Amino acid sequence: MAVERTFSILKPDATERNLTGAINAMIEKAGLRIVAQKRVRITKEQAEQFYSVHKARPFFGELVEFMISAPVVVQVLEGEGAIARYRDVMGATDPSKAADNTIRKTHAKSIGENSVHGSDSPENAAIEIAQFFSGNEIVG
Ligand code: ATP
Ligand code: MG
């Protein structure tokens, strides 16, 4: 399998509970390398653009408000099959349906405040990485 890069966000519910290190340990234990990382407060415009695919959904407003409610940690993760591997490590969107030992089962508060984001395709990974990082900020 090819070495890939995926885009990750540690969401406000995670940074607020001081879980950056705990979640990063789960990421690294799964064989993914954190090749770029920064803690930022995203703007409302960035959150709306990032989740624009969901703009018709009833939870969109709540999702945007949540994403700007506290700092987030944006990351680029690298490894074999990184996109699918990170989705596995994250677990299902709804933590009550997530498998044991996944990030969301272990740490998420709810379907909305679910601790992490991971890209869902190579196309979206490239778009999302470019939205938050310039090439020289990614060091593999
Ligand atoms: P993400 O895109 O954040 O990695 P995901 O791909 O597992 O999560 P999506 O269906 O893309 O899930 O939903 C994006 C985000 O919107 C979810 O992670 C969650 O924060 C929020 N969300 C999804 N469904 C609901 C819902 N029913 N109620 C509230 N928030 C929701
Ligand atoms: Mg998604």
Side-chain angles (χ1 to χ4, degrees):
M1 196 179 279
V3 172
E4 292 177 331
R5 286 178 174 172
T6 192
F7 179 69
S8 162
I9 303 179
L10 310 189
K11 295 184 180 182
D13 69 287
T15 62
E16 266 188 329
R17 290 177 290 154
N18 214 19
L19 292 171
T20 300
I23 293 174
N24 279 351
M26 294 175 84
I27 289 169
E28 291 182 334
K29 193 167 172 222
L32 293 164
R33 304 181 73 82
I34 302 165
V35 295
Q37 171 170 262
K38 58 191 174 191
R39 180 174 165 108
V40 291
R41 223 177 222 285
I42 61 171
T43 65
K44 191 170 189 188
E45 290 68 33
Q46 280 178 305
E48 285 172 347
Q49 190 194 342
F50 187 77
Y51 278 125
S52 59
V53 61
H54 297 304
K55 67 171 172 278
R57 308 282 288 276
F59 57 80
F60 182 69
E62 185 187 320
L63 175 59
V64 168
E65 289 306 315
F66 165 60
M67 292 301 290
I68 65 174
S69 66
V72 299
V73 177
V74 292
Q75 304 175 314
V76 180
L77 309 181
E78 185 178 86
E80 300 255 319
I83 295 161
R85 187 181 294 212
Y86 189 43
R87 299 282 296 186
D88 281 350
V89 178
M90 285 165 41
T93 310
D94 180 348
S96 71
K97 298 189 179 127
D100 284 350
N101 301 316
T102 59
I103 294 169
R104 284 169 167 166
K105 177 73 168 196
T106 307
H107 294 298
K109 290 168 78 175
S110 66
I111 190 169
E113 302 196 11
N114 60 3
S115 302
V116 281
H117 160 81
S119 307
D120 58 13
S121 67
E123 295 72 25
N124 284 338
I127 291 167
E128 292 170 5
I129 289 169
Q131 219 176 317
F132 289 94
F133 290 99
S134 56
N136 64 4
E137 291 179 308
I138 305 167
V139 185

